[in-house]
Amino acid sequence: MVVFLVVGTRPQIIKSAPIIQKSIELGLDMEIIHTGQHYDHGLSQVFLEELSIPVPVINLGVGSGTHIFQITEIMLRLEKYLCKHPASMVVVPGDTNSALAGALASIKIGTPVSHVEAGARCYNMKLPEEATRRIIDHCSDILFAPTDKCMINLTNESVMGERFLTGDVMYDVFLEFSDRVDECDILNKHNLDKEEYILLTLHRGENVDDPSRIRNIITGVQKSGEKVIFPVHPRTKRRMVEYGIFLQDSNIKVVDPVSYVEMLTLLRHTKGVLTDSGGLQKEAFWSKIPCITLRDETEWIETIEMGVNTIVGTDSDRIARTIEHVCQRNTEIRSKFTKNPFGDGEASRRIIEILKTRIGDGYSE
Ligand code: UD1
């Protein structure tokens, strides 16, 4: 029986690329189910095409809505599909509503679940992603942890499923597509000079749905006076219009969402990254670029311990000061990238090899 990989959002589509590729190479029958949580071309199709991901067997077309709407609708639509097309395993990467709904629907119809990126924790239960990843971890049969710390978190919580340290699939895809950066013309397109700009992304609900937090962040970035490129998530764009935040004639250049290779290119040549994304913190790390995290905590604590990522929250003065620090001490911070806690680029191979043995062991019965 087939293994389904359930994805729905931009970062999950990126994570699916190396997993599905390895499944083809190693002969595991795996198909993608797209929930439709992300539906804009620039958040979904662009990545499927650029990363040569096989067309999903179905798009459940759930679209936007409240968390409960998304989770329940995905579960209902997935239940219908999985009942008609039984699977030996459902694999969910990450911590989104699509991942949670994928895991719950599978469990409820009796299909085992594997979680990719298991054990990530930020210890703030107010964030929807934290609750989501905890629930998924505790109901998964197989857990694939990206780092030692994630493994420790799973052990400390006594999760029931089998745990494996695999490394991070995002590092696999990062390595595979890094050499495409040389062919990408995004810098010319936006009039950017190498090492002369800062890269900003912002999309998390706790930041963009709170007018004072997003205003503070933007004010801090403006105060820094640095040239900033800001590929904007549609959610953030909508909120900025609602709150009357307009950035024409400022040091912040707002552009449409960029593709994966465009993002890697922006990362390669920036002085620093300002972000509230979990994925981009890691991609900045692998690009050996200092990161400033616009949150109150992070899952990727190793990057903080190494002194290459700074948590600044949303205080505008602190943000401006930290940007200045990162620009002035750039060479010194870059010398601190001395190890990589996220594996060796072989996470997807390990995941597929483990899945093959476990499915053979009778999980499908
Ligand atoms: C989701 C994940 C988040 C992840 C992020 C990556 C959840 C709860 N959140 O956040 O963990 O970091 O994806 O991007 O699963 N929208 C569009 N077009 C789209 C998709 C969304 O315009 O294709 C807008 C809609 O206004 C929508 C809003 O963005 O209401 C939020 O979208 P949603 O999928 O709920 O969450 P994200 O913010 O993308």
Side-chain angles (χ1 to χ4, degrees):
M1 275 194 294
V2 65
V3 173
F4 286 126
L5 179 58
V6 176
V7 302
T9 65
R10 174 168 61 181
Q12 289 178 298
I13 295 168
I14 294 169
K15 286 166 200 167
S16 76
I19 302 175
I20 197 87
Q21 189 194 321
K22 276 293 167 227
S23 77
I24 296 166
E25 279 174 37
L26 299 178
L28 177 74
D29 184 10
M30 180 180 263
E31 298 280 1
I32 295 179
I33 295 179
H34 194 318
T35 66
Q37 180 175 345
H38 282 178
Y39 45 86
D40 276 1
H41 188 263
L43 292 193
S44 172
Q45 190 60 28
V46 160
F47 297 91
L48 291 168
E49 285 168 15
E50 190 178 54
L51 306 182
S52 302
I53 298 169
V55 179
V57 277
I58 185 169
N59 187 320
L60 301 174
V62 70
S64 296
T66 64
H67 287 211
I68 291 174
F69 168 84
Q70 281 181 331
I71 294 163
T72 51
E73 272 302 312
I74 294 169
M75 285 179 71
L76 288 168
R77 295 177 196 196
L78 201 53
E79 179 187 30
K80 239 186 226 167
Y81 189 81
L82 291 177
C83 286
K84 273 201 203 137
H85 306 88
S88 53
M89 176 79 68
V90 165
V91 180
V92 294
D95 53 17
T96 64
N97 285 345
S98 292
L100 177 59
L104 292 178
S106 309
I107 285 155
K108 286 298 170 193
I109 62 166
T111 305
V113 172
S114 296
H115 189 202
V116 172
E117 210 179 74
R121 296 288 183 268
C122 70
Y123 297 97
N124 180 354
M125 282 298 280
K126 288 194 185 130
L127 304 185
E129 291 83 3
E130 180 74 359
T132 297
R133 52 174 91 101
R134 282 170 186 260
I135 298 168
I136 299 174
D137 282 341
H138 281 269
C139 62
S140 290
D141 297 83
I142 305 183
L143 300 102
F144 298 117
T147 66
D148 288 330
K149 284 199 193 306
C150 292
M151 277 300 269
I152 292 168
N153 291 337
L154 295 172
T155 307
N156 289 345
E157 289 176 26
S158 309
V159 299
M160 298 273 291
E162 273 191 290
R163 298 159 231 166
F164 297 93
L165 177 62
T166 56
D168 196 314
V169 295
M170 286 190 77
Y171 186 47
D172 301 9
V173 67
F174 174 87
L175 289 178
E176 175 157 5
F177 285 86
S178 280
D179 55 3
R180 297 249 197 115
V181 162
D182 298 331
E183 299 151 23
C184 177
D185 72 343
I186 182 111
L187 263 57
N188 286 338
K189 188 173 160 193
H190 294 303
N191 272 324
L192 296 169
D193 292 322
K194 291 179 181 174
E195 317 281 322
E196 291 292 325
Y197 64 92
I198 298 276
L199 172 62
L200 166 67
T201 78
L202 198 56
H203 77 280
R204 296 176 75 99
E206 67 269 22
N207 282 336
V208 305
D209 293 347
D210 179 335
S212 67
R213 281 179 79 97
I214 186 170
R215 276 207 187 91
N216 285 347
I217 292 170
I218 296 293
T219 305
V221 180
Q222 285 178 319
K223 269 189 197 165
S224 77
E226 290 290 329
K227 184 169 185 178
V228 174
I229 180 153
F230 181 17
V232 73
H233 187 294
R235 167 185 197 154
T236 311
K237 188 176 181 180
R238 219 188 52 205
R239 290 298 190 214
M240 284 169 51
V241 172
E242 256 176 67
Y243 304 149
I245 301 172
F246 300 107
L247 297 175
Q248 294 91 337
D249 308 321
S250 88
N251 58 323
I252 305 174
K253 183 175 177 136
V254 180
V255 299
D256 287 335
V258 294
S259 75
Y260 184 68
V261 173
E262 286 173 336
M263 185 54 95
L264 293 190
T265 309
L266 289 173
L267 276 166
R268 168 93 49 99
H269 300 298
T270 185
K271 281 194 282 192
V273 171
L274 269 171
T275 190
D276 62 2
S277 152
L280 202 61
Q281 287 174 59
K282 294 187 287 184
E283 287 161 349
F285 181 89
W286 298 320
S287 305
K288 299 188 168 43
I289 297 296
C291 185
I292 300 171
T293 296
L294 301 162
R295 292 174 52 192
D296 300 323
E297 63 281 301
T298 180
E299 296 75 31
W300 313 118
I301 202 76
E302 299 89 339
T303 63
I304 308 291
E305 289 170 353
M306 285 172 66
V308 297
N309 185 6
T310 312
I311 293 176
V312 292
T314 56
D315 178 273
S316 53
D317 286 333
R318 184 155 183 224
I319 291 170
R321 272 200 316 274
T322 312
I323 296 173
E324 196 184 323
H325 174 84
V326 159
C327 291
Q328 282 173 357
R329 297 283 189 66
N330 215 259
T331 314
E332 183 193 326
I333 300 172
R334 285 182 190 219
S335 70
K336 296 181 179 175
F337 290 95
T338 47
K339 57 181 181 195
N340 178 12
F342 299 99
D344 57 2
E346 294 288 331
S348 312
R349 181 183 53 73
R350 289 190 189 98
I351 288 170
I352 297 300
E353 282 172 353
I354 294 162
L355 286 177
K356 281 180 75 174
T357 60
R358 290 313 181 272
I359 287 161
D361 272 356
Y363 270 99
S364 58
E365 283 163 17

